[in-house]
Amino acid sequence: MFFADQRLQFFKPLTSKYREQIVECLRLLHDRLYSASADYGESLKREQVLDIFSEALERAPLLDGDDDEQSRFRNNREQAGWVLNSLVDHGWLERQVDQATFQSTYPFSRLGRLFTQSLVEAVGHSVRTRHRNTRNTLNALSAFADRGEVYDLLDAYEYSERIIADFTDIIAELEERKRQLVREVEAQQLVQQASDQFFDFMERRFQPDVSIRLSADSVEKHRDRIHDVLRRIRHKPREWKANAERELRRLAPDLVVDDSASVLWQLLDTIDNRMRNASEIMLPALRRTLQSFTKRADILIRQLSYLQTQQHNDIVGLCRELSALDPASYEQRLTAAGDAMARLRVELIDPAQVRLRERQNRQPVQSEMDDPGMPDDDTLRSLAVSQLLERAFNINASGMRDYLRNALGDGRRINSGDLPIHGASDLLAVSHVIALGSADQAAAGFRVKIEPTGQPVTGDTYFNRRDGFIIELEQDTHA
């Protein structure tokens, strides 16, 4: 049970009017113990914890509440002591006593640290790389397929679960941002602030996470590769899979639901189903939510911009005001407006509105062609030698077919030991004549049947020893 022993009223500190202050105390203590600037070799004593809580109480506001318990404190130090005792009594912190010095330290309990970490991440502004969970799943599965360590498979199982959770989290965040944008626009009616908040969110949240999730690290990109690794794991030898099954049952007994069911197959099927759901369900839902968010933001910003531009141009209100005047006042207002419009007015130009356009200097492009002239004799000689060497050792299928036709003459069969060699081209053709039995030659209409004789060919001028074959021409449509 969760609510047992010291955790019987675990969330009670977060239900009073001091809840915001207590949350700030937990965040600051977590930062002091587990952030990059923490001193991991030091345990915090009571005075140090009270100093941290006193600083947090200066930052956090006091919310309105109905309870009057501990409603008055003489100073922040006294309130910090009450907060520390409350967190210890309800299971957020632990009191550990050093038997040598009899001094108490106050670390987080295991569940207290987990819940406090969620509170810290809820308002965290650090760059999150949650889009890498798909890549981490692929890397962990590949490591399991290569090394066979079940810890890698359990990591892949955990990463695949985070993929769905991350999609749900970011969809909920987009919906919350959309509702928050509507509330701020209705309450403030400020175009500049609303547009700044929208573009700030797009630059800080959309660009580093959502754009990568939809492009470089999309589940659609890695889905096929993950399926290939899963297929490779399923085709492993029986003994390899039996060892993995035994290790999984030993390390993760909670996953064993039925003794007759395979835990290995259960994990692989679950990862496969999660990838399919992420690709076919969650990714389209994210795209629809993002499209709805941008559309709503665009409508609101356009509406506010229109209202801002029409602030000093209320034609309807002016006509309504003129219609309520008596005829004399009406004529007087129109005459004054006509005189103001017909009069010549001389105004000075605001220097702040004058901007000089910067002329862009174009880089000159050198388009003339340089004649390199004739190469020297050494260059021509090296080029000629290279071309001769390339042609000397050039082997093509057409040349080998012509060589075999000439060697067969009027016959249809010949032993590879009887193939004539009159030059370098014949020697190269004899070295590669067995390739004429490939499927490519059969597709070209040149069918050759090659059977080994079992007797090696020895005493040759060019070869010390080579296998003997009977080459029989079955079909040649180009003969």
Side-chain angles (χ1 to χ4, degrees), residues 1-212:
M1 294 178 59
F2 180 84
F3 295 101
D5 299 332
Q6 289 185 339
R7 299 194 302 269
L8 188 61
Q9 299 291 336
F10 186 75
F11 296 103
K12 186 176 181 179
L14 304 183
T15 58
S16 65
K17 65 178 181 180
Y18 302 103
R19 54 188 178 272
E20 186 64 31
Q21 293 180 329
I22 294 177
V23 168
E24 185 64 25
C25 291
L26 290 171
R27 288 173 182 163
L28 195 59
L29 181 61
H30 185 277
D31 183 70
R32 178 65 176 79
L33 291 175
Y34 303 109
S35 67
S37 59
D39 186 4
Y40 297 99
E42 180 185 2
S43 298
L44 297 181
K45 299 178 178 60
R46 180 180 179 85
E47 293 300 323
Q48 295 172 310
V49 175
L50 292 180
D51 292 339
I52 295 174
F53 284 1
S54 299
E55 181 183 353
L57 293 174
E58 290 289 342
R59 300 181 181 180
L62 178 63
L63 302 180
D64 295 333
D66 299 331
D67 59 322
D68 295 330
E69 180 187 358
Q70 300 289 344
S71 58
R72 294 182 181 274
F73 297 99
R74 288 176 296 179
N75 49 46
N76 289 335
R77 191 77 174 184
E78 182 179 350
Q79 185 178 358
W82 173 80
V83 173
L84 176 58
N85 295 332
S86 178
L87 293 176
V88 172
D89 294 339
H90 295 94
W92 288 82
L93 302 179
E94 295 179 350
R95 180 186 289 109
Q96 297 179 357
V97 180
D98 189 354
Q99 298 297 330
T101 61
F102 296 101
Q103 292 183 349
S104 299
T105 58
Y106 295 87
F108 275 99
S109 63
R110 185 179 67 87
L111 291 175
R113 182 178 59 82
L114 292 177
F115 281 97
T116 305
Q117 184 177 357
S118 301
L119 296 175
V120 172
E121 292 178 352
V123 296
H125 301 288
S126 59
V127 178
R128 293 172 289 183
T129 57
R130 299 176 300 179
H131 53 266
R132 292 184 60 90
N133 285 325
T134 306
R135 190 184 306 179
N136 293 337
T137 303
L138 174 61
N139 295 336
L141 281 176
S142 301
F144 173 67
D146 296 336
R147 297 192 297 264
E149 296 183 1
V150 296
Y151 292 103
D152 295 326
L153 179 60
L154 295 176
D155 289 341
Y157 180 77
E158 182 180 358
Y159 287 135
S160 64
E161 183 179 5
R162 295 178 186 175
I163 295 174
I164 304 297
D166 290 342
F167 272 111
T168 306
D169 186 17
I170 194 171
I171 290 174
E173 184 177 355
L174 286 174
E175 292 291 345
E176 182 181 358
R177 286 281 182 173
K178 182 172 65 176
R179 293 190 295 267
Q180 182 181 357
L181 183 62
V182 174
R183 289 194 302 266
E184 291 176 351
V185 168
E186 292 177 350
Q188 300 173 2
Q189 294 287 323
L190 296 177
V191 181
Q192 187 65 33
Q193 184 172 356
S195 60
D196 289 345
Q197 292 177 355
F198 171 72
F199 289 112
D200 181 73
F201 170 76
M202 295 297 287
E203 293 177 0
R204 295 179 180 271
R205 185 71 178 90
F206 176 83
Q207 182 64 28
D209 191 359
V210 181
S211 60
I212 301 178

Side-chain angles (χ1 to χ4, degrees), residues 291-304:
Q291 183 180 7
S292 174
F293 172 76
T294 53
K295 184 182 298 184
R296 175 62 63 88
D298 181 67
I299 292 174
L300 291 176
I301 292 177
R302 287 177 182 271
Q303 180 181 1
L304 290 175

Side-chain angles (χ1 to χ4, degrees), residues 252-272:
D254 296 338
L255 297 177
V256 181
V257 181
D258 187 2
D259 293 337
S260 60
S262 173
V263 180
L264 175 62
W265 248 243
Q266 175 187 347
L267 295 181
L268 297 180
D269 293 341
T270 303
I271 294 174
D272 193 7

Side-chain angles (χ1 to χ4, degrees), residues 244-467:
E245 181 71 23
R246 286 192 295 269
E247 288 294 318
L248 285 172
R249 289 177 177 269
R250 183 179 64 86
L251 296 174
D254 296 338
L255 297 177
V256 181
V257 181
D258 187 2
D259 293 337
S260 60
S262 173
V263 180
L264 175 62
W265 248 243
Q266 175 187 347
L267 295 181
L268 297 180
D269 293 341
T270 303
I271 294 174
D272 193 7
N273 291 334
R274 287 171 177 172
M275 293 303 303
R276 182 170 59 253
N277 293 334
S279 179
E280 298 177 0
I281 299 176
M282 301 306 298
L283 188 59
L286 174 61
R287 288 171 176 165
R288 289 193 299 268
T289 305
L290 183 61
Q291 183 180 7
S292 174
F293 172 76
T294 53
K295 184 182 298 184
R296 175 62 63 88
D298 181 67
I299 292 174
L300 291 176
I301 292 177
R302 287 177 182 271
Q303 180 181 1
L304 290 175
S305 300
Y306 175 77
L307 294 176
Q308 188 73 9
T309 55
Q310 297 297 323
Q311 183 177 1
H312 303 288
N313 193 18
D314 190 4
I315 303 299
V316 178
L318 180 61
C319 293
R320 189 182 297 111
E321 182 181 354
L322 292 175
S323 62
L325 298 177
D326 57 276
S329 301
Y330 179 78
E331 289 294 336
Q332 183 180 0
R333 293 281 294 273
L334 289 182
T335 303
D339 295 339
M341 296 175 62
R343 187 179 305 160
L344 179 63
R345 293 182 297 176
V346 178
E347 297 180 351
L348 298 178
I349 299 177
D350 185 6
Q353 303 296 327
V354 179
R355 293 289 185 272
L356 293 178
R357 295 184 178 180
E358 296 182 0
R359 180 174 298 176
Q360 185 178 4
N361 296 328
R362 296 184 178 181
Q363 296 293 335
V365 179
Q366 301 293 338
S367 58
E368 297 181 358
M369 301 297 293
D370 185 17
D371 186 7
M374 291 296 296
D376 54 6
D377 295 340
D378 294 337
T379 303
L380 294 175
R381 187 181 301 106
S382 62
L383 292 175
V385 171
S386 300
Q387 293 176 359
L388 291 175
L389 289 175
E390 291 177 358
R391 288 197 298 267
F393 296 97
N394 185 22
I395 299 296
N396 55 71
S398 177
M400 287 193 297
R401 289 196 295 267
D402 294 340
Y403 169 76
L404 185 59
R405 293 192 192 99
N406 295 332
L408 289 173
D410 297 334
R412 308 289 295 181
R413 293 166 56 92
I414 190 173
N415 192 307
S416 61
D418 299 333
L419 292 173
I421 299 177
H422 302 294
S425 59
D426 295 345
L427 178 61
L428 294 175
V430 170
S431 302
H432 299 81
V433 71
I434 306 303
L436 293 175
S438 64
D440 295 337
Q441 302 299 325
F446 190 85
R447 299 180 61 86
V448 175
K449 182 179 180 182
I450 298 178
E451 295 181 355
T453 61
Q455 299 294 329
V457 179
T458 58
D460 202 329
T461 304
Y462 302 99
F463 299 96
N464 293 332
R465 178 187 176 92
R466 56 192 173 104
D467 296 332

